[in-house]
Amino acid sequence: MAPKMDATKAKLEAAINAQFQPVSAFKFPEVADKDLLMVAMGLEAVGAVLYIFGFNLGARMLMLFLLAVTPIMHDFWNETDPDAQTVNLIMFLKNVALFGQLLTFTAMNSASAKKQKTD
């Protein structure tokens, strides 16, 4: 996971620095991989429990998790092996579909809550 994280950080830092051309170069703070893993696991676990009980916050936590994890873990565009590229593309698209489902859930819950308030 560390090489993928380092590559992603470098690409994001380069894009941010090229876009905004700051006085001093932008650099992400150094965070241990185990700390990032703990945050990701917490987001996924707490978000899943809240989602099971129908809370929008749970769906939003899972969407945040998917937004952060999907491009890093399933970067099919960087794969050279065709089989690995296919597997990562399938997993990437699965996560996009999950994100869409969570977005639909959030919208439906919000519409339902607004309708109940007006009744």
Side-chain angles (χ1 to χ4, degrees):
M1 186 169 102
K4 286 187 176 187
M5 285 295 298
D6 293 339
T8 303
K9 279 184 193 178
K11 286 180 184 178
L12 285 174
E13 287 171 353
I16 291 169
N17 287 329
Q19 180 69 28
F20 297 108
Q21 298 175 352
V23 176
S24 61
F26 175 78
K27 184 152 176 57
F28 283 109
E30 292 298 321
V31 180
D33 288 344
K34 67 178 181 175
D35 294 335
L36 290 174
L37 180 63
M38 295 303 287
V39 168
M41 288 172 51
L43 264 177
E44 192 175 19
V46 174
V49 170
L50 290 173
Y51 176 72
I52 288 170
F53 289 110
F55 290 101
N56 273 351
L57 178 61
R60 291 181 180 161
M61 290 173 75
L62 290 172
M63 286 191 296
L64 179 63
F65 170 78
L66 288 172
L67 276 175
V69 168
T70 300
I72 295 170
M73 295 305 296
H74 303 298
D75 57 341
F76 62 92
W77 54 90
N78 287 331
E79 289 291 343
T80 55
D81 178 33
D83 291 336
Q85 186 177 27
T86 302
V87 168
N88 274 323
L89 175 62
I90 291 169
M91 297 307 253
F92 184 90
L93 293 175
K94 175 205 51 131
N95 284 0
V96 170
L98 286 172
F99 186 86
Q101 186 277 327
L102 291 167
L103 195 59
T104 302
F105 174 84
T106 304
M108 296 291 282
N109 261 2
S110 296
S112 173
K114 285 181 183 178
K115 185 175 181 181
Q116 287 177 356
K117 286 183 182 178
T118 59
D119 289 342

